[in-house]
Each structure stands twice: as structure tokens, then as C-alpha cells.
């Protein structure tokens, strides 16, 4: 196998101050940046906007968003096992992405803190003024070296936008 091709787990992190849309007793709904396209991330990877748009248009992702089941975990799984990376641990759910939209090359999401113990932690930190950081967890096909960066090409299957520390 060519060293630039293979099955990968992709991760990146984007931080922003959440724009709170609703603060109810049990959860907070906010808008935040999930990811930036066509720019190098901290992992020295570049995700094209077209690749991310196609991944978000996947019927599974669309169904999860429509049914409020596009969950994210608190942190990425520590295990490198592909089976663990490909599923959501229900005991670690912190939030739900309920919609996404592009503003230029910024992918923004409407996010709701989950009514779980970890979601309550996320809600509390947001109420204290913490920024939120999200990192995409996805399965993909090909990465190619472009100078000091690697470009990720599709198809890409987004598993989650996990809540991470910057």
C-alpha cells in the first residue's frame, strides 16, 4: 500500500466563544464553530470544503441531525481501535449537533448540551464563560502530502464533532 493512502481516523480542533441562543434549566443551545475548511489545522491537515460538504450530506449524518442523534462525546476516545473510533459511547455524550451551516470557510453548528452528567458539566463551563472547542472524528480514505501539510480527500464519514480541550 502506498504510504499516502489508507484508512485513517481524522481529528482536528477549533475553538470559539459560544453564542448562546437559549439557556434553559436543563440545557444550553448555542452556535459555535465546528471546523474550518481549506486551512491547515493543528494536526497539519487540510480538509477541503467540498469534502466536508459531501460528508455532511451523507444520508446517515442527515438522518442523525434530523432526529437529534448527531451526538458528540467529551474528548476523543483514547483507544486507537477503529471499532471504538467509529461509534459513540453513550456514557460519554456531552452534546448534540442539531444543524450545521457554512459561513465562508467556517462550519458552524447549532449545538445543544445533552441532559447527561457530562452534558451538565459542559453546560456549567459555558455558563462560567468557557470557550468551547470541537474536533472532528471521521473515517476517511486518502491523505496526500502537500509540503508540510496533508490534504484529506473523500469520501469522508463523519462520526462526531467531539468536545475537546484546546
Amino acid at each position: 500500500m502506498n504510504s499516502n493512502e489508507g484508512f485513517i481516523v481524522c481529528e482536528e480542533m477549533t475553538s470559539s466563544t459560544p453564542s448562546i441562543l437559549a439557556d434553559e434549566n436543563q440545557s444550553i443551545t448555542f452556535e459555535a464553530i465546528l471546523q474550518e475548511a481549506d486551512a491547515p489545522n493543528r494536526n497539519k491537515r487540510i480538509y477541503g470544503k467540498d469534502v466536508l460538504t459531501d460528508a455532511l450530506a451523507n444520508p446517515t449524518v442527515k438522518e442523525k441531525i434530523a432526529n437529534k442523534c448527531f451526538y458528540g462525546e467529551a474528548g476523543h476516545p483514547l483507544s486507537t481501535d477503529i471499532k471504538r473510533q467509529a461509534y459513540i459511547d453513550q456514557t460519554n455524550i456531552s452534546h448534540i449537533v442539531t444543524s450545521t451551516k457554512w459561513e465562508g470557510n467556517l462550519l458552524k453548528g447549532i449545538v445543544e448540551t445533552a441532559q447527561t452528567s457530562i452534558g451538565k458539566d459542559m453546560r456549567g463551563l459555558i455558563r462560567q464563560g468557557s470557550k468551547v472547542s470541537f474536533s472532528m472524528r471521521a473515517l476517511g480514505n486518502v491523505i496526500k502530502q502537500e509540503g508540510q501539510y496533508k490534504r484529506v480527500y473523500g469520501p469522508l464519514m463523519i462520526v462526531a464533532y467531539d468536545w475537546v480541550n484546546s
Side-chain angles (χ1 to χ4, degrees), residues 4 9 21 23 34 51-52 75 77 89 103 109 128 131 147 158:
N4 290 332
V9 175
L21 305 174
D23 186 349
L34 298 177
V51 172
L52 295 170
D89 178 352
E103 286 187 12
Q128 286 183 307
K131 286 189 173 188
I158 298 174

Side-chain angles (χ1 to χ4, degrees), residues 143-155:
I143 55 175
K144 293 185 181 176
Q145 196 72 34
E146 290 184 4
Q148 61 180 336
Y149 303 108
K150 293 181 180 177
R151 182 168 286 275
V152 179
Y153 292 89

Side-chain angles (χ1 to χ4, degrees), residues 66-125:
N67 292 315
K68 290 185 77 168
C69 298
F70 195 37
Y71 302 126
E73 293 187 46
H76 285 309
L78 296 178
S79 170
T80 58
D81 177 60
I82 196 76
K83 290 178 184 175
R84 172 59 185 104
Q85 291 289 334
Y87 83 90
I88 300 297
D89 178 352
Q90 290 180 319
T91 65
N92 200 33
I93 293 172
S94 56
H95 63 280
I96 307 164
V97 176
T98 61
S99 68
T100 60
K101 68 179 180 180
W102 287 104
E103 286 187 12
N105 282 345
L106 296 179
L107 177 63
K108 290 190 170 185
I110 302 298
V111 181
E112 189 176 310
T113 58
Q115 292 183 26
T116 62
S117 58
I118 295 170
K120 290 175 189 174
D121 292 342
M122 182 183 209
R123 182 182 74 217
L125 290 170

